[in-house]
Amino acid sequence: MKAVGIVGTGSYLPENIVTNNHFAEYLDTTDEWIVERTGIKERRKAAPGQATSDLGAIAAQKAIEDAGLKPEDIDMIITATVTPDMLFPSTACLIQNKIGAVNAGAFDISAACSGFVYGLSIANGYVATGMYKNVLVIGAEVLSAVLDPYDRRTVVLFGDGAGAAVVSEVDEGSGFLAFDLGADGSGGDVLKVNAGGSRMPATEDTFKQGEHYAKMEGKEVFKFAVRILGLTSKKVLAKANISTEDVDFLVPHQANIRIVDAALRTFKIAKDKTIINLDIYGNTSGASIPIALDEGLKSGKIKEQSMIVMVGFGAGLTWASTVMKYSGKKKGEQISA
Ligand code: UT7
């Protein structure tokens, strides 16, 4: 098996900023409540007409450029999203066309906030076995499209954005060391969009009843998140044969500052060894980990040979974590000064 890792990243956030006070103007909520319970101060909202593939394509182009590649070099595109442009064709196919990745296959995966790490695991398999050389994994969401503007339990939490990574062969001893993926489908009801699929096709009635909007039992998701973070972290570190002390940097899913704090306690890691951007982007679901990873790399906080843990959890219920030793370069490439 070849050693496989991330060799380029990119992200894109829409320009339009929505502050907590925007919601406080028409909902029974306050900036204080939102900041205290979630850590979120503002989030981004896609412009009218801007869809998930538009955001994903920009992040993808940046990641390909960062990897020193051209769109034609990409063999496969995997897009993790719960807010695809449409039921089909896949958002990955739409992105493939937008960026001109003419040699790539393309498909979407649905694992909500865990989707990007699920995607990395698939990319890892392709490259490790030699089936493909360069796999583009994208996490992209326009969650504002499925939020009820009058539901204070959800509308204040989520934001729009996209992140991407190119996965290729890296030097032996670096790259992905382990993955832990899981699901508990019995918890599917705590976070969902009912209408628009085959169970509840969209009708005038489903529209009137707001069934096309996301519904969440926040407390249940919160309890699950804190519990599963501890479990999956323990498992993935054991699989990689390392301990919490070996971890240099944590890239957690950005859902709630209290959940991130729980993760930091699990890893006994200081706040400056993680990325927290939920205060300015909210919860961007499948996009949250690649956006945070890109920020960690571009800011220089994540360095070559840093041992990184990425951990996500969300609807499904699903969870996913990975340990990666960041090589900062493709196989055989010289480290730039
Ligand atoms: O990406 C993965 C998916 N999502 C998550 O990870 C989210 C996980 N859950 C959470 O982050 C938290 O549970 C929330 C932020 C969603 C809620 O915080 P909480 O501390 O668990 O509050 P709660 O759900 O227990 O609600 C407490 C009260 C309720 O009022 P009553 O029933 O006690 O009268 C809510 O109706 O707060 C109320 N509430 C609000 N009040 C003001 C809920 N949302 C708001 C709001 N503003 N925006």
Side-chain angles (χ1 to χ4, degrees):
M1 290 284 182
K2 299 173 195 296
V4 182
I6 288 175
V7 299
T9 58
S11 58
Y12 173 73
L13 280 305
E15 282 164 26
N16 183 18
I17 296 172
V18 182
T19 63
N20 289 348
N21 283 330
H22 164 78
F23 300 112
E25 275 171 23
Y26 73 94
L27 283 176
D28 184 13
T29 190
T30 60
D31 176 50
E32 292 73 33
W33 191 96
I34 302 168
V35 172
E36 194 181 304
R37 297 294 182 107
T38 70
I40 299 167
K41 294 176 182 152
E42 57 189 49
R43 70 290 292 144
R44 300 299 178 92
K45 188 174 181 188
Q50 207 176 22
T52 297
S53 69
D54 300 320
L55 274 53
I58 300 172
Q61 276 161 333
K62 290 184 180 178
I64 294 169
E65 201 182 311
D66 192 40
L69 297 173
K70 294 192 286 300
E72 306 88 275
D73 299 323
I74 300 300
D75 303 305
M76 184 58 74
I77 301 175
I78 302 169
T79 301
T81 185
V82 288
T83 50
D85 286 27
M86 56 192 86
L87 275 181
F88 63 87
S90 71
T91 300
C93 280
L94 302 172
I95 293 174
Q96 186 244 19
N97 182 44
K98 278 185 213 296
I99 67 174
V102 290
N103 298 314
F107 65 98
D108 286 358
I109 54 171
S110 177
C113 311
S114 317
F116 179 73
V117 178
Y118 264 73
L120 290 179
S121 76
I122 302 168
N124 176 54
Y126 281 147
V127 180
T129 54
M131 188 166 170
Y132 295 120
K133 273 174 83 171
N134 301 310
V135 181
L136 178 62
V137 183
I138 302 162
E141 306 283 6
V142 176
L143 288 154
S144 57
V146 297
L147 295 175
D148 179 348
Y150 296 100
D151 182 0
R152 67 177 185 176
R153 293 164 301 174
T154 51
V155 74
V156 304
L157 302 175
F158 297 97
D160 303 338
V166 176
V167 173
S168 306
E169 189 176 359
V170 294
D171 283 332
E172 206 56 45
S174 58
F176 297 112
L177 302 183
F179 283 93
D180 179 57
L181 311 178
D184 176 6
S186 72
D189 275 344
V190 301
L191 180 49
K192 60 180 178 176
V193 174
N194 278 323
S198 58
R199 175 68 60 198
M200 190 188 284
T203 63
E204 206 178 318
D205 264 2
T206 66
F207 178 75
K208 278 186 192 150
Q209 280 151 28
E211 297 291 359
H212 55 298
Y213 288 133
K215 309 262 187 307
M216 180 170 76
E217 290 174 35
K219 197 125 217 129
E220 292 310 309
V221 181
F222 188 96
K223 284 190 280 187
F224 154 75
V226 172
R227 181 174 58 83
I228 212 67
L229 264 170
L231 290 176
T232 186
S233 305
K234 213 170 148 185
K235 268 171 101 173
V236 82
L237 293 182
K239 283 185 192 175
N241 202 19
I242 63 166
S243 65
T244 48
E245 291 83 58
D246 301 315
V247 178
D248 298 310
F249 207 85
L250 182 66
V251 185
H253 169 48
Q254 309 280 309
N256 186 315
I257 191 65
R258 293 183 286 147
I259 300 175
V260 173
D261 284 342
L264 294 175
R265 284 194 295 275
T266 299
F267 284 92
K268 300 182 193 77
I269 210 165
K271 250 193 174 129
D272 63 337
K273 297 281 175 60
T274 190
I275 288 285
I276 296 167
N277 60 22
L278 59 85
D279 53 335
I280 51 171
Y281 301 148
N283 178 348
T284 58
S285 189
S288 110
I289 291 178
I291 292 171
L293 176 70
D294 186 44
E295 286 197 8
L297 289 166
K298 300 288 156 63
S299 65
K301 284 187 173 180
I302 301 175
K303 299 181 186 2
E304 277 156 16
Q305 303 307 313
S306 286
M307 193 71 87
I308 316 169
V309 173
M310 295 178 241
V311 54
F313 53 85
L317 295 164
T318 57
W319 60 92
S321 55
T322 182
V323 178
M324 186 185 82
K325 192 168 185 184
Y326 178 61
S327 70
K329 59 191 173 58
K330 295 194 277 292
K331 184 179 165 64
E333 215 176 51
Q334 294 300 312
I335 297 178
S336 53

